């Protein structure tokens, strides 16, 4: 990529410069800026408002301000058309996908886009359990999921491993809605 970005001061105000175009960083830019899509066509960074709230600036357009964000959570879909990050709303977490905030949960983890960018999934931490959320819909719940196992298999299935007692169970979710479970211990499961 031949694109250039950096933070700078202009008349005492912080700015983010992308390809010689300045974007206001409001009260100051956050760490790790900017994030680039894999094709380097899109960029994003977090900025702080005068009130100390944090917002995402995607392709130069500022989004909604949040109490805080998980800075390292910002990601573009593999083909670069969509984006997501984790925002904190008080003590709750929510995933923001393409600028639209999802439901509030105790916390969220392990999110991923499908390879074609059409689907998005993450694990929501509930009061006594966890749920896999796909395209904003709760699909399957369990006492615990292994967050690093949440993966799309192409664009038609989602896989995640859940903990059930002392067994690890592979859960396969077809993106049309059915759920299949296979025991990783080779034990027969329903």
């Amino acid at each position: 990529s031949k694109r250039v970005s950096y933070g700078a001061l202009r008349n005492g105000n912080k700015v983010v410069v992308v390809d010689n175009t300045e974007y206001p960083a409001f009260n100051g830019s956050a760490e790790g800026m900017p994030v680039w899509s894999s094709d380097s066509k899109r960029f994003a960074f977090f900025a702080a408002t005068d009130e100390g709230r944090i917002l995402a600036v995607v392709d130069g357009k500022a989004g909604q301000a949040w109490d805080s964000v998980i800075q390292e959570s910002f990601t573009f879909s593999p083909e670069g058309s969509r984006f997501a990050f984790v925002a904190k709303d008080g003590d709750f977490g929510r995933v923001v996908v393409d600028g639209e905030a999802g439901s509030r949960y105790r916390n969220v983890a392990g999110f991923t886009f499908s390879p074609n960018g059409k689907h998005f999934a993450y694990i929501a931490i509930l009061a006594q359990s966890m749920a896999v959320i796909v395209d904003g819909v709760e699909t399957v719940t369990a006492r615990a999921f292994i967050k690093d196992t949440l993966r799309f298999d192409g664009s038609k299935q989602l896989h995640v491993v859940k903990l059930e007692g002392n067994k690890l169970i592979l859960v396969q979710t077809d993106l049309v809605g059915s759920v299949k479970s296979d025991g990783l211990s080779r034990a027969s499961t329903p």
Side-chain angles (χ1 to χ4, degrees), residues 24-172:
F26 302 92
N27 190 35
S29 61
E31 297 293 321
M33 58 94 203
V35 174
W36 292 92
S37 61
S38 60
D39 61 5
S40 298
K41 291 181 180 176
R42 301 186 72 194
F43 68 93
F45 61 91
F46 289 117
T49 66
D50 289 336
E51 297 79 29
R53 294 174 55 85
I54 307 295
L55 49 86
V57 178
V58 181
D59 301 327
K61 296 180 183 113
Q64 180 177 343
W66 298 97
D67 292 342
S68 64
V69 297
I70 307 300
Q71 294 176 14
E72 58 275 1
S73 72
F74 194 98
T75 187
F76 283 103
S77 58
E79 86 302 344
S81 67
R82 303 179 69 197
F83 68 91
F85 63 93
V86 177
K88 297 297 266 182
D89 189 9
D91 291 335
F92 296 91
R94 53 175 60 190
V95 174
V96 178
V97 180
D98 302 329
E100 297 294 320
S103 297
R104 288 172 41 150
Y105 295 103
R106 292 179 80 102
N107 211 341
V108 293
F111 61 86
T112 185
F113 280 101
S114 63
N116 64 5
K118 290 184 180 178
H119 302 285
F120 182 76
Y122 61 95
I123 297 170
I125 289 88
L126 310 173
Q128 300 295 319
S129 63
M130 296 180 173
V132 174
I133 312 298
V134 180
D135 298 331
V137 177
E138 191 174 302
T139 59
V140 64
T141 60
R143 184 176 62 80
F145 290 103
I146 311 297
K147 73 174 183 168
D148 294 335
T149 66
L150 185 66
R151 298 280 184 266
F152 282 96
D153 178 10
S155 59
K156 299 193 188 290
Q157 279 192 335
L158 178 71
H159 302 275
V160 66
V161 174
K162 70 178 179 176
L163 180 63
E164 206 169 88
N166 62 354
K167 290 184 181 179
L168 295 175
I169 307 292
L170 176 64
V171 178
Q172 298 172 301

